[in-house]
Amino acid sequence: MIAGGVLYFRFNPAGSPLFPKCPFLMLTGLKCPGCGSQRAIHALLHLDFPAACSQNILLVASLPYLFLLIAAQVIRFFSPCATFPVRIQQSAVIWTYFAVVLLFWITRNVFGL
């Protein structure tokens, strides 16, 4: 992860051939939910939050949940009886997040987000 972070910090994915392009965008001309994530990560590493939000706001908004999931795994590893990890990994939460991703995918293509 550190090597990836250094790579994303040093090179801008928008103009570097090191980073892959989105195959869904290339095939259909439509943006997938992950389009702009590489540029958003680059912007976040440079503490440019407005640029990160303009590239992929779903990624930026998902970071707290991602950190909670990572914390849940760490807690589960060190304390298998903890109830905190179970709450944020319930199927209702995961299905809700999936619905948000689908809604984001549709709205970004309909409204040009």
Side-chain angles (χ1 to χ4, degrees), residues 30-71:
L30 300 171
K31 292 181 180 180
C32 75
C35 279
S37 293
Q38 295 182 67
R39 295 182 302 272
I41 291 170
H42 176 77
L44 285 171
L45 290 172
H46 287 275
L47 302 177
D48 189 357
F49 295 103
C53 288
S54 72
Q55 295 299 326
N56 191 323
I57 194 158
L58 181 64
L59 173 78
V60 177
S62 297
L63 288 177
Y65 182 62
L66 177 65
F67 289 134
L68 280 174
L69 288 175
I70 291 169

Side-chain angles (χ1 to χ4, degrees), residues 3-109:
V6 169
L7 188 69
Y8 275 99
F9 183 83
R10 297 211 10 108
F11 300 101
N12 187 349
S16 176
L18 294 173
F19 301 95
K21 306 298 180 215
C22 177
F24 184 80
L25 177 65
M26 291 171 48
L27 288 173
T28 65
L30 300 171
K31 292 181 180 180
C32 75
C35 279
S37 293
Q38 295 182 67
R39 295 182 302 272
I41 291 170
H42 176 77
L44 285 171
L45 290 172
H46 287 275
L47 302 177
D48 189 357
F49 295 103
C53 288
S54 72
Q55 295 299 326
N56 191 323
I57 194 158
L58 181 64
L59 173 78
V60 177
S62 297
L63 288 177
Y65 182 62
L66 177 65
F67 289 134
L68 280 174
L69 288 175
I70 291 169
Q73 290 301 325
V74 170
I75 291 170
R76 179 179 288 168
F77 179 77
F78 289 110
S79 177
C81 297
T83 59
F84 170 71
V86 175
R87 290 185 191 134
I88 65 166
Q89 294 175 330
Q90 290 177 344
S91 62
V93 175
I94 293 169
W95 281 108
T96 301
Y97 184 76
F98 179 67
V100 168
V101 170
L102 288 177
L103 184 63
F104 176 70
W105 192 354
I106 293 166
T107 56
R108 85 179 316 191
N109 286 298

